[in-house]
């Protein structure tokens, strides 16, 4: 990469997932002179990104399909030829998954950076000339040091043949909220760049300056940048667990969590965001990043700090289990052969991401209680739901209520879920769930019929007027919590 030519460059992004795809699409939109290629060894995923049918894009985000349709084939490309695109790239974004380790040291808490390390080795083996490496994945603190060590080892060998080979490593964590990722990318609260080489920092900053005001671009050392990402997610998750704990208290005391949220949200020191009670936090980062903080704090002997953050995750588990137990209690203490219409499987609206979705744990607990589940989500695929519930190898799920051996089926529309259902459980705040014809739903259900609204999106009076019994999260009033 020529240090004085920062406009006409090639960018390679390794990882075509929830971060890499949308981020690179928006970058391509605002930087027409830059050729952007998103790479992944998963050929099926790349084929989906290149599909003429935009409904087959592997990621659903409002507005993403329009950008992909307009810029794909011009300066936005999707390819499975990872090594080839590394070799011609001036700047490489690493956007691969960093799951929690399942075994070995730090199992259950520490992040597994094997894919990041694999990317670093790919870059080391295939890069030419000067290359800037940008950490985009959510990573443990000091991961950049691992990348640098791998690259420096390769450089010492390859530079004997090609003296122009060199690397700079930057940290540029994403702060996207799934469901509004394009909006967040177009108008970010901040762009954080951590690094040691001012020239490399300037190169990345100038790309963002094509659409992001300079005052929103923050500079730190690389370690602070990595830790800032973990901390931001931990703080947001903490707010969700906090308001859900208050919601449980509201139900016990006769208060209304919506009124409490509104009251405290007007305090400028607290703010109104992330104060909506729900079925618990999900998504790819919150739990993983908090557990990463727990591991780091324990590693450095800060056990009180580790215990504090671990309690946020424990309360989230407790809260989801509380909802399952509450449903059992309301339905006369047993769910055996009772049908529950589950509305929503994604961890939040406007995304098809189910990672760590509250629906997974709650559905599994309801199935263990003997319930028959009828599941509907407008964007999550049948295959994904079956995979998350560990039914991916089932030859089929049940199609009729008379054949309930497998205890679940996946509906194509809302109406299918209501037939002979004992209860409706709303787990994702899709807008169509707030516009249900409750009188029609009641006629199709078995009596007494319940609605369990874990997202506070229904009109309580309309539900009650239809003779349905209603539980709303965080609502201790007698009219709702019958």
């Amino acid at each position: 990469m020529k240090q004085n030519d920062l406009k006409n460059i090639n960018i390679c992004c390794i990882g075509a997932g929830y971060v890499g795809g949308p981020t690179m699409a928006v970058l391509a939109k605002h930087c027409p002179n830059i050729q952007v290629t998103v790479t992944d060894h998963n050929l099926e995923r790349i084929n989906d990104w290149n599909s003429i049918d935009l409904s087959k894009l592997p990621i659903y985000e409002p507005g993403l399909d329009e950008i992909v349709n307009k810029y794909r084939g011009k300066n936005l490309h999707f390819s499975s030829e990872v090594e080839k695109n590394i070799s011609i790239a001036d700047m490489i974004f690493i956007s691969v998954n960093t799951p929690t380790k399942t075994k070995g040291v730090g199992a259950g808490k520490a992040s597994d950076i094997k894919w990041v390390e694999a990317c670093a080795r790919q870059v080391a083996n295939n890069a030419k000339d000067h290359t800037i490496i940008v950490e985009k994945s959510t990573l443990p603190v000091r991961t950049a040091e691992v990348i640098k060590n791998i690259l420096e080892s390769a450089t010492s060998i390859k530079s004997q043949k090609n003296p122009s080979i060199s690397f700079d490593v930057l940290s540029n964590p994403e702060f996207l909220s799934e469901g509004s990722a394009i909006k967040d990318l177009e108008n970010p609260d901040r762009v954080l760049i951590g690094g040691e080489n001012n020239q490399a920092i300037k190169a990345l900053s100038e790309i963002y300056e094509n659409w992001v005001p300079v005052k929103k671009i923050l500079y730190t050392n690389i370690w602070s940048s990595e830790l800032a990402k973990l901390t931001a997610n931990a703080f947001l998750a903490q707010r969700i667990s906090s308001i859900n704990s208050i919601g449980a208290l509201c139900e016990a005391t006769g208060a209304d969590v919506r009124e409490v949220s509104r009251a405290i949200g007007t305090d400028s020191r607290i703010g109104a965001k992330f104060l909506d009670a729900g079925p618990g936090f999900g998504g790819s980062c919150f739990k993983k990043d908090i557990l990463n903080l727990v591991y780091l704090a324990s590693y450095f002997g800060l056990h009180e700090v580790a215990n504090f953050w671990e309690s946020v995750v424990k309360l989230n588990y407790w809260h989801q289990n509380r909802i399952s137990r509450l449903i059992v209690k309301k339905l006369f203490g047993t769910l055996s052969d009772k049908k529950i219409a589950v509305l929503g499987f994604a961890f939040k609206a406007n995304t098809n991401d189910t990672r760590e979705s509250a629906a997974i744990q709650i559905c599994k607990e309801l199935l263990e209680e003997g319930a028959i589940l009828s599941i509907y989500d407008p964007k999550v695929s049948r295959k994904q739901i079956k995979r998350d519930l560990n039914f991916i190898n089932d030859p089929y799920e049940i199609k009729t209520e008379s054949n309930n051996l497998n205890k679940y089926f996946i509906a194509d529309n809302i109406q299918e879920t209501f037939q002979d259902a004992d209860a409706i459980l709303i787990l994702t705040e899709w807008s169509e769930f707030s516009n249900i014809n409750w009188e029609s739903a009641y006629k199709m259900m078995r009596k007494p019929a319940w609605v369990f609204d874990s997202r506070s999106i229904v009109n309580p009076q309309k539900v009650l007027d239809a003779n349905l019994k209603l539980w709303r999260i965080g609502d201790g009033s007698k009219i709702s919590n019958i």
Side-chain angles (χ1 to χ4, degrees):
M1 177 181 180
K2 296 179 180 179
Q3 297 292 323
N4 59 354
D5 184 9
L6 302 175
K7 293 184 178 180
N8 298 293
I9 65 174
N10 287 312
I11 287 179
C12 171
C13 175
I14 306 176
Y18 280 89
V19 175
T23 301
M24 293 300 109
V26 172
L27 193 153
K29 172 185 174 181
H30 290 282
C31 304
N33 294 326
I34 295 178
Q35 290 296 316
V36 180
T37 304
V38 182
T39 64
D40 201 299
H41 284 301
N42 186 331
L43 183 58
E44 181 182 358
R45 175 176 290 178
I46 292 299
N47 288 338
D48 287 343
W49 277 113
N50 285 320
S51 175
I52 297 176
D53 182 357
L54 294 173
S55 68
K56 291 185 178 180
L57 293 183
I59 295 168
Y60 173 75
E61 282 287 339
L64 176 60
D65 54 350
E66 297 175 12
I67 298 176
V68 170
N69 187 48
K70 186 172 182 179
Y71 297 95
R72 187 176 57 190
K74 296 178 182 177
N75 69 323
L76 175 63
H77 315 278
F78 298 92
S79 172
S80 59
E81 297 180 302
V82 181
E83 290 80 7
K84 174 184 175 181
N85 283 283
I86 288 174
S87 70
I88 60 174
D90 302 294
M91 185 177 291
I92 297 172
F93 286 76
I94 296 178
S95 300
V96 295
N97 192 22
T98 51
T100 301
K101 291 181 68 176
T102 57
K103 58 184 178 180
V105 177
K109 293 184 175 68
S111 289
D112 189 341
I113 63 169
K114 63 181 180 181
W115 302 119
V116 175
E117 183 177 339
C119 286
R121 296 188 185 282
Q122 280 185 308
V123 171
N125 292 330
N126 295 281
K128 300 176 182 178
D129 301 320
H130 179 76
T131 308
I132 297 174
I133 314 301
V134 183
E135 294 179 335
K136 203 67 183 173
S137 302
T138 302
L139 300 167
V141 180
R142 304 198 76 86
T143 300
E145 193 167 15
V146 174
I147 297 174
K148 288 175 64 178
N149 286 338
I150 292 173
L151 296 176
E152 287 173 359
S153 298
T155 303
S156 63
I157 297 174
K158 295 177 70 175
S159 60
Q160 298 175 8
K161 298 180 180 179
N162 185 357
S164 65
I165 290 180
S166 59
F167 300 97
D168 280 306
V169 180
L170 302 177
S171 172
N172 177 221
E174 53 85 16
F175 295 101
L176 305 180
S177 176
E178 289 186 45
S180 61
I182 300 303
K183 179 182 176 182
D184 296 338
L185 287 163
E186 293 275 18
N187 185 28
D189 290 333
R190 76 288 201 195
V191 170
L192 185 59
I193 301 175
E196 299 172 345
N197 184 302
N198 289 333
Q199 209 165 16
I201 292 172
K202 179 182 177 183
L204 182 56
S205 179
E206 286 187 0
I207 290 174
Y208 282 111
E209 287 171 28
N210 282 285
W211 78 96
V212 179
V214 175
K215 64 181 180 180
K216 287 189 174 183
I217 302 176
L218 310 179
Y219 308 103
T220 69
N221 70 44
I222 201 164
W223 321 125
S224 296
S225 178
E226 290 177 333
L227 185 57
K229 169 60 178 176
L230 299 182
T231 306
N233 281 340
F235 270 59
L236 294 175
Q238 179 197 27
R239 284 173 70 94
I240 294 173
S241 282
S242 295
I243 199 62
N244 283 336
S245 71
I246 299 303
L249 188 58
C250 286
E251 292 171 28
T253 60
D256 189 327
V257 73
R258 284 150 292 276
E259 294 178 353
V260 174
S261 295
R262 187 171 71 250
I264 66 175
T266 56
D267 189 326
S268 60
R269 297 167 301 175
I270 298 174
K273 294 183 177 180
F274 280 77
L275 288 181
D276 294 324
F281 59 75
S284 62
C285 290
F286 281 4
K287 175 186 170 185
K288 175 171 69 72
D289 289 356
I290 293 177
L291 292 177
N292 204 341
L293 276 182
V294 171
Y295 174 75
L296 287 171
S298 297
Y299 178 83
F300 289 108
L302 303 171
H303 301 297
E304 290 78 10
V305 176
N307 292 338
F308 171 77
W309 286 111
E310 190 167 17
S311 70
V312 175
V313 176
K314 288 181 177 178
L315 194 141
N316 196 55
Y317 279 130
W318 170 84
H319 178 63
Q320 292 170 359
N321 180 252
R322 181 179 80 89
I323 293 175
S324 303
R325 287 185 284 109
L326 186 144
I327 293 172
V328 174
K329 179 180 178 181
K330 296 294 184 183
L331 296 184
F332 310 118
T334 179
L335 298 184
S336 181
D337 293 329
K338 290 178 181 175
K339 180 180 174 183
I340 311 293
V342 177
L343 302 186
F345 204 80
F347 86 92
K348 63 184 292 189
N350 295 321
T351 180
N352 60 348
D353 194 355
T354 64
R355 288 176 291 179
E356 298 297 337
S357 173
I360 298 173
Q361 180 184 336
I362 292 173
C363 284
K364 286 181 176 180
E365 289 174 353
L366 296 178
L367 287 167
E368 288 177 1
E369 291 287 343
I372 302 169
L373 302 186
S374 176
I375 304 169
Y376 169 72
D377 189 288
K379 293 297 179 182
V380 180
S381 69
R382 182 183 301 268
K383 181 179 180 181
Q384 186 61 50
I385 293 173
K386 294 178 73 172
R387 180 184 293 116
D388 288 333
L389 294 179
N390 299 324
F391 292 137
I392 194 63
N393 294 321
D394 282 7
Y396 58 88
E397 72 272 13
I398 62 174
K399 297 300 182 183
T400 66
E401 283 68 30
S402 61
N403 174 17
N404 58 16
L405 294 177
N406 291 328
K407 302 295 186 182
Y408 82 103
F409 70 96
I410 300 166
D412 294 321
N413 57 66
I414 294 178
Q415 296 301 316
E416 283 185 27
T417 69
F418 297 158
Q419 188 64 49
D420 297 325
D422 294 271
I424 296 170
L425 170 60
I426 300 175
L427 291 177
T428 310
E429 69 279 24
W430 290 104
S431 59
E432 63 183 288
F433 299 159
S434 62
N435 298 312
I436 293 171
N437 184 326
W438 294 111
E439 291 184 358
S440 174
Y442 177 75
K443 292 177 182 178
M444 300 173 67
M445 298 174 70
R446 192 165 71 162
K447 317 307 185 286
W450 275 87
V451 173
F452 295 93
D453 181 11
S454 75
R455 291 289 187 173
S456 297
I457 63 172
V458 306
N459 183 313
Q461 197 57 53
K462 289 184 177 181
V463 175
L464 296 171
D465 287 346
N467 293 317
L468 286 152
K469 296 181 181 296
L470 173 66
W471 171 84
R472 261 199 326 167
I473 194 162
D475 192 343
S477 67
K478 292 182 180 180
I479 186 172
S480 178
N481 199 10
I482 299 174

